[in-house]
């Protein structure tokens, strides 16, 4: 397994010297876009299909099924590897959006090198950006949805992009994992699970800003915007864990570190 998935999952308010900050959408967008424009991938690596995050894979879960002939939109396309994965499985159209201009350029270069093409848009996921409505068969987000500053608004936009009865799949770091650290071979709570305040973290001379939302926050926001949850995955794959080492793998044996939700637009 790509160890970059481990690095992504390691970021959490309970594990890193986090500083509480006020919630200001413009400031957060500027901070996070700069992070991904400069050192984001170097610091956190990249999580992409077939992995949903640490220790959870599409090859095991089979949430997408047959995507041949389907129109796909990725929220937070990163370096384009997930779009490549679906393009090679004969999706008919690939679309991607990302907050970072640098990531959009990386996606374009990567897909071109793979003989694929996509419509790419640089924009915060919360904002109107010209994506067609009721057009896509799948909207998905691999380890990016947690960067939104407006979860309900983002889910509302995603619902508008999907055709009726089509699917939204997303993954993110499990909120309980964000509260617990490994200390001397013991799991220790370092942060209140119910604390959804925004915080900044300095990593390798770069800064990112996040909020650790409760699992119920995601579920209730989906329900409010007209989605029904078909499947939720939060258990790590034992086979992947066995091929990994260190405290993070030990932690994943005891509690969920990644969650994935498959929801359908009513």
């Amino acid at each position: 397994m790509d160890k970059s998935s481990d690095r992504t999952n390691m970021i959490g308010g309970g594990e890193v010297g986090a500083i509480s900050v006020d919630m200001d959408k413009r400031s957060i967008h500027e901070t996070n876009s700069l992070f991904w424009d400069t050192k984001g991938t170097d610091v956190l690596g990249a999580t992409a299909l077939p992995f949903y995050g640490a220790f959870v894979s599409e090859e095991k879960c089979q949430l997408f099924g047959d995507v041949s002939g389907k129109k796909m939109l990725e929220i937070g396309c990163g370096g384009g590897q997930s779009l490549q994965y679906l393009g090679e499985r004969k999706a008919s159209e690939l679309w991607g959006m990302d907050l970072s201009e640098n990531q959009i350029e990386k996606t374009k270069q990567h897909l071109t090198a793979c003989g694929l093409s996509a419509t790419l848009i640089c924009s915060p996921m919360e904002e109107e950006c010209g994506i067609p409505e009721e057009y896509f068969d799948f909207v998905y987000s691999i380890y990016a949805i947690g960067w939104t500053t407006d979860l309900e608004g983002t889910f509302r936009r995603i619902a508008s992009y999907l055709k009726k009865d089509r699917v939204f799949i997303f993954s993110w770091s499990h909120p309980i994992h964000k509260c617990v650290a490994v200390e001397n071979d013991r799991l220790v709570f370092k942060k209140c699970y119910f604390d959804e305040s925004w915080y900044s973290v300095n990593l390798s001379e770069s800064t990112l800003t996040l909020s650790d939302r409760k699992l119920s926050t995601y579920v209730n926001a989906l329900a409010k915007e007209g989605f029904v949850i078909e499947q939720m995955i939060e258990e790590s794959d034992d086979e992947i864990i066995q091929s990994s080492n260190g405290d993070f793998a030990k932690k994943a044996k005891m509690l969920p570190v990644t969650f994935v939700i498959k929801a359908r637009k009513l």
Side-chain angles (χ1 to χ4, degrees):
M1 179 183 177
D2 185 354
K3 298 300 182 184
S4 63
S5 295
D6 292 9
R7 292 199 299 274
T8 302
N9 274 271
M10 288 301 290
I11 301 305
E15 298 190 60
V16 182
I19 302 172
S20 295
V21 296
D22 293 332
M23 199 317 191
D24 179 88
K25 289 185 179 181
R26 178 171 295 181
S27 176
I28 291 170
H29 287 161
E30 290 176 353
T31 296
N32 290 337
S33 62
L34 178 61
F35 175 77
W36 286 107
D37 279 341
T38 53
K39 296 186 177 182
T41 304
D42 295 335
V43 174
L44 295 184
T47 301
L49 291 173
F51 294 106
Y52 286 105
F55 314 121
V56 182
S57 73
E58 165 63 11
E59 293 171 349
K60 177 72 174 286
C61 301
Q62 294 292 304
L63 298 180
F64 280 93
D66 182 8
V67 299
S68 59
K70 305 300 184 183
K71 297 174 181 177
M72 322 293 290
L73 167 63
E74 180 170 13
I75 307 297
C77 57
Q81 290 85 0
S82 293
L83 287 169
Q84 174 197 354
Y85 180 86
L86 295 169
E88 290 175 346
R89 283 155 182 77
K90 309 303 181 184
S92 64
E93 286 188 34
L94 301 176
W95 290 61
M97 70 176 315
D98 202 282
L99 178 67
S100 163
E101 292 182 2
N102 179 267
Q103 297 288 65
I104 290 290
E105 185 59 32
K106 284 184 177 180
T107 295
K108 184 184 300 183
Q109 293 176 3
H110 179 73
L111 292 179
T112 299
C114 296
L116 297 167
S117 62
T119 301
L120 302 174
I121 297 170
C122 185
S123 171
M125 64 184 81
E126 306 91 323
E127 297 181 1
E128 197 286 322
C129 58
I131 293 176
E133 296 187 352
E134 298 185 357
Y135 187 76
F136 296 94
D137 300 293
F138 287 89
V139 177
Y140 69 97
S141 180
I142 308 301
Y143 241 82
I145 208 72
W147 296 92
T148 182
T149 60
D150 179 2
L151 189 67
E152 288 185 3
T154 296
F155 285 171
R156 189 177 311 121
R157 290 200 181 280
I158 289 170
S160 74
Y161 303 148
L162 282 165
K163 300 174 185 175
K164 181 179 174 58
D165 200 39
R166 297 305 195 267
V167 171
F168 172 38
I169 298 171
F170 73 94
S171 66
W172 187 244
S173 187
H174 198 288
I176 196 66
H177 146 66
K178 304 296 277 299
C179 302
V180 178
V182 179
E183 291 185 359
N184 300 319
D185 291 327
R186 301 182 67 183
L187 296 179
V188 180
F189 267 85
K190 306 291 286 187
K191 177 180 181 290
C192 175
Y193 176 82
F194 303 107
D195 180 8
E196 295 187 322
S197 60
W198 287 83
Y199 61 89
S200 286
V201 176
N202 292 318
L203 297 171
S204 301
E205 300 180 351
S206 295
T207 301
L208 60 85
T209 303
L210 287 170
S211 168
D212 297 332
R213 299 177 176 93
K214 304 185 300 291
L215 202 56
S216 59
T217 299
Y218 290 98
V219 171
N220 292 333
L222 284 169
K224 184 175 181 179
E225 303 309 328
F227 287 100
V228 59
I229 294 175
E230 291 192 342
Q231 193 168 353
M232 176 177 166
I233 296 163
E234 58 178 356
E235 187 171 352
S236 299
D237 187 322
D238 285 337
E239 292 183 12
I240 302 176
I241 290 179
Q242 294 304 321
S243 65
S244 304
N245 298 308
D247 286 343
F248 193 53
K250 293 178 182 178
K251 184 179 182 181
K253 293 178 181 179
M254 300 295 292
L255 55 79
V257 295
T258 298
F259 78 96
V260 190
I261 288 178
K262 178 180 180 179
R264 190 173 297 275
K265 176 183 174 178
L266 295 176

